[in-house]
Amino acid sequence: MAATLKDLLAQRAALDEQIAQTKERELADAIAKVKSLMSEYGLTAADLSSRPAKAGKTSKVAAKYRNLATGETWSGRGLQPKWLKAAIANGAKLEDFHV
């Protein structure tokens, strides 16, 4: 026997209620587990949001070019700095600033 639209809608409503209750229960269980672990290890909410620094990932690149007048440097990576562009525009050569 085929279910009527009314029967199917009633089943869907019952399933929606079951889904909501199950979701709420599982969320409460998850929160309880997290609180338990936090208590066990002495963690706070601030500990969860802090990110440890990346060790050894960042390194400075040695300067390849230096403006002797001001001490400004450029590694040769990325865009040329304004001081170097201006000097080259005024007739200087890139090699003049090589360290």
Side-chain angles (χ1 to χ4, degrees):
M1 178 175 197
T4 65
L5 178 60
K6 186 177 179 180
D7 293 337
L8 291 174
L9 290 174
Q11 287 176 6
R12 183 170 73 180
L15 281 174
D16 286 343
E17 179 62 28
Q18 254 186 313
I19 289 169
Q21 289 174 355
T22 301
K23 184 177 181 180
E24 190 175 311
R25 185 182 69 248
E26 288 182 2
L27 184 59
D29 290 347
I31 290 170
K33 284 181 187 178
V34 169
K35 284 182 178 181
S36 173
L37 286 170
M38 288 176 71
S39 175
E40 182 178 339
Y41 290 98
L43 299 172
T44 64
D47 294 326
L48 300 178
S49 64
S50 66
R51 296 182 181 174
K54 295 179 182 178
K57 288 278 183 170
T58 58
S59 62
K60 279 209 156 201
V61 178
K64 290 185 180 179
Y65 304 96
R66 181 180 318 272
N67 183 347
L68 295 177
T70 63
E72 294 173 296
T73 61
W74 180 50
S75 67
R77 293 185 178 180
L79 297 174
Q80 285 183 345
K82 291 179 182 177
W83 62 265
L84 185 57
K85 280 185 181 179
I88 291 173
N90 288 329
K93 296 181 183 176
L94 184 60
E95 296 81 33
D96 298 340
F97 300 96
H98 197 273
V99 176

